[in-house]
Amino acid sequence: MSSVGAGSSLQVHAVRFGPGQELLGSLQAFVEKRGLRAPFIITCVGSVTTAKLRLANATATNTNQVMHLSGRFEIVSLVGTLNPDAHLHICLSDGEGRTFGGHVLGDLEVFTTAEVVLGEAVDLTFSREMDGRTGFPELVVRSKTEEELKALGF
C-alpha cells in the first residue's frame, strides 16, 4: 500500500450547519460540491441530538459493536479525514459531562449548530484501500502528481 509522507499547501474552509441537518452527510456533500481531494477536520464545535457510533472493540468480522445515542450532546471533539469513505471519530458529552466516543457511522443530527473548519492538503489526494493486516479500508495518501499518473494508466 502506497502512502506519501510529503507536506502540502493548506487551504481552509469554514461552514456552519444548522438544526436538523445530518452532520456526516452534510460534510460529505460540502466536500463533493467543492471537489476537495484531501480534506480533513481542523476543528468543530456544536451539538447533536443523535449519533450512531462504532465502538473500539469492533473488528473487521464483528462490526456490529454499535452505540446509538439520543438526547442532547455537545461535540467535544471531531477529527478525521473526509475522502469519499470518510473516517471520523467523535467525542460527545451529555448534560452531566459524561463522554461517549467512537467511529462515526452517521445519524449525527445537529441540535443547535455545528461550526466546522476544514483543511485541504491541496497537493495531496486521500483514498481508502483495503488493508489485509487490519481488515478495514485504510487511508492512502498520494501526491496529486502520483494520482494524475495513476489516472493516465502509469
Side-chain angles (χ1 to χ4, degrees):
M1 186 168 299
S2 172
S3 191
V4 173
S8 176
S9 299
L10 174 67
Q11 186 165 9
V12 177
H13 305 266
V15 61
R16 177 184 176 263
F17 301 104
Q21 289 185 276
E22 198 286 315
L23 185 55
L24 177 58
S26 296
L27 284 167
Q28 288 174 312
F30 181 88
V31 164
E32 185 176 325
K33 182 176 180 180
R34 284 162 180 75
L36 307 183
R37 294 174 49 164
F40 57 94
I41 304 289
I42 295 175
T43 191
C44 173
V45 295
S47 57
V48 296
T49 56
T50 60
K52 182 178 177 184
L53 309 177
R54 187 181 71 218
L55 303 177
N57 57 346
T59 65
T61 57
N62 182 16
T63 58
N64 62 354
Q65 299 293 316
V66 175
M67 175 186 291
H68 297 268
L69 297 172
S70 182
R72 293 182 179 173
F73 301 92
E74 290 289 332
I75 300 170
V76 178
S77 176
L78 179 66
V79 297
T81 56
L82 282 161
N83 49 301
D85 298 318
H87 186 188
L88 299 180
H89 289 190
I90 195 166
C91 184
L92 302 168
S93 68
D94 67 11
E96 295 179 18
R98 292 177 298 212
T99 56
F100 307 90
H103 175 93
V104 175
L105 294 176
D107 295 336
L108 293 174
E109 184 177 322
V110 175
F111 175 48
T112 58
T113 191
E115 302 162 5
V116 186
V117 179
L118 300 173
E120 181 189 19
V122 296
D123 303 314
L124 304 175
T125 61
F126 293 165
S127 63
R128 295 215 162 265
E129 295 178 12
M130 186 55 71
D131 184 326
R133 297 170 298 169
T134 67
F136 288 101
E138 302 293 359
L139 180 67
V140 176
V141 180
R142 291 186 176 94
S143 68
K144 275 195 178 176
T145 304
E146 182 182 355
E147 189 67 20
E148 290 163 354
L149 289 172
K150 182 181 173 191
L152 294 172
F154 293 99

